[in-house]
Amino acid sequence: MTETQTAVHDGETAVESRGHFINGTVVPGAGEPIRRYSPATGELVAAFANGSPADVDAAVAAARTAFDTGVWSELPGLERGRVLLRFAALMREHVDELTALDADEVGNPRRVARANVLGAIDDTEFAAALAGVVHGDVHTNLGTDFTGMMVREPIGVAGLIVPWNFPTLVLCQKLSFALAAGCAAVVKPSELTSSSALLLAELATAAGVPAGVLNVVTGYGDRAGQHLAEHKDVDLVSFTGSTATGRKIMAAAQENLTRVALELGGKSAQIVFADADLDDAVEGVLFGVVHNQGECCLAGSRLLVEQRIAERFLDLLTERAAGLRLGGPHDEADLGALIHPEHLHKVLRYIETAVSEGASVRAGGHRLTGATHANGCFVAPTVLDRVTPEHRAFQEEIFGPVVTVTRFTDRDEAAELANAVEYGLGNSVWTKNIDTALLLSRRLRSGTVFINTTIDGSPQLAFGGYKASGFGREKGTTGLEEFTQLKTVQIRTGKRAGSFNLLG
Ligand code: NAD
């Protein structure tokens, strides 16, 4: 434990209270730290500084100075790329540590947490390669007297506010691209899962990211997060989280007209046609709803199934769901615990409400209370049949291992049902008919359409939402462009009388 960390006790258990990371160094927090208890076992696993507006001010000031002095933004892109490659290599060296931190705080099996950390490393390597590719455009067809240049510049100080469900992955989808573009960043991780962001800041610094370019302030959203979003020295707020908080971020950024990018909630459909490979579709639909125990923005939480195969499909699905294993970070499990007890009860209330509105429980529907699960927030994978678009469970993001089932008869009805929610993140279509696949890919109003797959992705492919799932795109070349702005430079190379059209 370093001098800047203090111990926090809970009975026999003691953890270090982690400080903020500002201007290249760990800064201890003031006041009572935020305690994080394992969602799987109830044990104390971490403690973080409860960041204040003053901590945010210090982090933004460090980022502003670092950006304005050009220590990072003015490096050749290839040099920034080399540092980011070293950062990715250090992440790979610390993959077990990052995995353990995320799994302990999220409550998911390490296997799942590890896959997400590896995804974050892929994103960082891809962003490193892009750092050297950032360029503008030259216009030489403006007439003989003019040359025009469109120059792409880093936007400046980026405020990155991220949620708890995939701490390392969601952060790197922003951070690695922001750094590749030449920005300086202030990160506000979730108060529930802040450890990996702090470790990432140390690794980035060890890789050669200069002091002040990457800062992390831990703390609550309505205090530290809100102050970051409304800060006049922040040039862009890139936010991932719930749609409700996204609205607050926009309101906070309004006064300074700060640019915002929002990755918000989802209520994605899994549309299964009778001509699909049903075994494949069952696996995919199940994965779509239990991956990360359903705490995934892309969760395929609405099954739309063609009427004539509905019963057979549901039999297969419920049989597979019943065989899934639930467990914590140290268990061989398919899915883990929900993030905290209040969320567990919220998910259970959604199930009760659905039943009171006319849904029937085909699988799960309850909390696990046996000896191995009693101290954790475990909900059995749940299939709610006979759900209609009027039901809350059809419309609202439940964020747990719960899938609703609605039957359809043709492609038109399938598309209409899929689009009948406010969200538009990543719908899936399961079919072997190319016409159906292409038609649906056009008709579905979501930022991603998956055909015969789900919750997939790749650093090269842009990711983002339609409708209330947000705007802006992460990953791909667009993911880097999000952190830049265009400047037009118009050069007059000749002098022609009367060219300004003045009378005198
Ligand atoms: P959340 O909106 O509660 O919190 C997200 C972050 O915002 C946290 O760091 C939180 O502290 C902060 N925050 C809260 N109030 C704030 C305020 N007033 N001002 C500034 N910051 C504030 O979301 P969550 O519960 O952490 O995460 C779950 C949500 O995230 C789900 O809705 C999920 O769909 C969404 N999500 C979306 C994506 C995507 O890419 N579209 C990815 C992952 C998660």
Side-chain angles (χ1 to χ4, degrees), residues 162-164 188 191 221 225-226 239-242 245 264-265 297 397 463:
V162 291
W164 46 260
K188 211 300 279 169
E191 59 276 19
Q226 175 86 20
F239 169 78
T240 298
S242 63
T245 308
L264 308 177
C297 53
E397 188 180 44
F463 173 69

Side-chain angles (χ1 to χ4, degrees), residues 161-166 170 173-174 188-192 219-229 239-246 248-249 252 262-266 295-298 339-340 397 399 423 425 463-465 469 474:
I161 303 177
V162 291
W164 46 260
N165 56 343
F166 300 113
V170 172
Q173 280 179 205
K174 299 179 188 300
K188 211 300 279 169
S190 168
E191 59 276 19
L192 301 165
Y220 292 108
D222 55 0
R223 192 166 184 241
Q226 175 86 20
H227 193 63
L228 182 59
F239 169 78
T240 298
S242 63
T243 297
T245 308
K248 290 184 191 165
I249 298 283
L262 302 176
E263 299 287 343
L264 308 177
E295 294 170 328
C296 174
C297 53
L298 277 171
I339 191 74
H340 50 54
E397 188 180 44
F399 231 52
Y423 296 106
L425 200 55
F463 173 69
S469 292
E474 295 190 336

